[in-house]
Amino acid sequence: MGRYETEILAELHRWEQEMRKEPSLWDRSSKKLQNRFNSMLPEKVHLMITKSIKSMVHGTLIGSEYISKKQPLPPRSLRESDETADSLIVSYRRTAAVEGAGTGAGGFLLGLADFPILLGIKMKFLFDAAGVYGFDVKDYRERLYILYIFQLAYSSPFKRVDLLERILNWEDTTGDFPTEQQYLRGIDWQTLQQDYRDHIDLVKMLQMVPGFGAVVGAFANYRFLDELGKTAKNCFRLRTVNELKQKGWL
């Protein structure tokens, strides 16, 4: 095992420990505040967000432009994959920030339009990141892995450990999967939508406030892609490290 791989194993261990932390008092208080905030939002806003999430995720999982155009990169070293992933994260953070600034400057209606646009950017990033680490998204199980990453990045501390365990034990998780023709039936759309909405609602609503929506939009979208980027990178690293271990190379 090289020095780089040893450092990555240590990083992954620290990340895993961070993900396993018990919900703090702040987390519990924030959840109550979020519930109160959600109750104040117009129902049409909730419906728009929910519809956007389900439509985007459903579209990417059943076979869209994200799948047909993606080819995994040939086998490379973990260092090379990480370096490419870092460049990808930088590029997508910039794209998301520019998009957030543009829609944030446009007021309430464009602020609403930011939800599906940002979702599209996130999904495209995840499919690109999978290819960087050599995973073929034409396999429906890899698309479900992407969905788990998406959920893990934006899940509440109360649900994070369960998602992490599914990712850490991916071979066991895939063993419970239905056939490709039936796998969409097992997705808990309601939980997925609620977790994502809870994660972004407060910040994205501030984006619609006249006067500083552009600043909030740029910052929020940058941060969201940064969170997703770090989570995706570590999840794909986990898969890569586990495969190297199985081959006896680590």
Side-chain angles (χ1 to χ4, degrees):
M1 187 191 310
R3 180 178 177 181
Y4 184 77
E5 286 74 17
T6 302
E7 292 174 352
I8 295 308
L9 287 174
E11 284 185 23
L12 288 173
H13 178 73
R14 289 193 294 270
W15 175 73
E16 183 181 338
Q17 294 303 112
E18 182 68 25
M19 299 297 286
R20 290 183 181 279
K21 283 186 176 179
E22 291 288 330
S24 64
L25 179 60
W26 168 255
D27 292 326
R28 299 178 189 280
S29 300
S30 298
K31 179 62 175 175
K32 292 180 181 178
L33 177 62
Q34 185 68 57
N35 290 338
R36 179 177 297 181
F37 178 76
N38 282 338
S39 67
M40 297 169 59
L41 292 176
E43 184 61 25
K44 65 178 181 180
V45 173
H46 284 295
L47 291 175
M48 186 280 301
I49 297 171
T50 297
K51 183 178 179 180
S52 296
I53 294 169
K54 184 171 183 177
S55 175
M56 178 59 65
V57 176
H58 186 277
T60 56
L61 288 177
I62 63 174
S64 68
E65 59 179 303
Y66 302 116
I67 300 171
S68 61
K69 297 179 182 179
K70 302 303 175 189
Q71 295 292 333
L73 295 179
R76 300 183 301 163
S77 70
L78 182 57
R79 182 192 293 271
E80 290 174 319
S81 295
D82 283 347
E83 289 174 350
T84 305
D86 287 337
S87 298
L88 198 67
I89 292 170
V90 169
S91 175
Y92 272 91
R93 282 189 315 210
R94 186 182 303 117
T95 299
V98 170
E99 188 275 328
T103 53
F108 184 79
L109 291 179
L110 278 182
L112 287 177
D114 180 63
F115 283 97
I117 296 173
L118 180 60
L119 269 171
I121 293 173
K122 289 173 178 176
M123 286 296 169
K124 188 173 186 303
F125 163 76
L126 287 172
F127 276 78
D128 285 348
V132 164
Y133 286 91
F135 297 107
D136 190 353
V137 296
K138 290 184 176 63
D139 186 333
Y140 83 101
R141 291 166 295 188
E142 297 301 339
R143 301 199 294 276
L144 284 175
Y145 191 73
I146 283 175
L147 180 58
Y148 275 108
I149 294 173
F150 181 84
Q151 289 180 278
L152 184 64
Y154 303 117
S155 64
S156 73
F158 305 93
K159 301 176 182 177
R160 192 173 295 152
V161 174
D162 178 63
L163 289 167
L164 179 65
E165 287 295 336
R166 292 173 181 269
I167 286 173
L168 289 172
N169 301 286
W170 187 242
E171 288 191 5
D172 293 335
T173 300
T174 57
D176 296 330
F177 282 170
T179 64
E180 183 171 4
Q181 291 72 30
Q182 297 177 321
Y183 76 100
L184 285 175
R185 300 177 187 175
I187 298 175
D188 187 348
W189 294 110
Q190 188 61 39
T191 298
L192 173 63
Q193 295 158 18
Q194 188 62 53
D195 285 350
Y196 185 69
R197 280 168 46 180
D198 285 354
H199 185 83
I200 69 173
D201 271 352
L202 186 57
V203 175
K204 300 307 285 182
M205 289 303 113
L206 290 175
Q207 181 179 336
M208 300 179 194
V209 177
F212 64 101
V215 176
V216 173
F219 174 77
N221 284 12
Y222 181 97
R223 184 170 64 82
F224 290 144
L225 258 295
D226 189 59
E227 290 176 352
L228 184 62
K230 291 177 181 176
T231 303
K233 181 179 175 181
N234 282 325
C235 287
F236 286 123
R237 277 172 156 182
L238 280 171
R239 291 276 303 283
T240 302
V241 165
N242 286 336
E243 289 185 1
L244 292 175
K245 287 180 177 178
Q246 291 174 0
K247 295 175 181 178
W249 295 352
L250 280 183

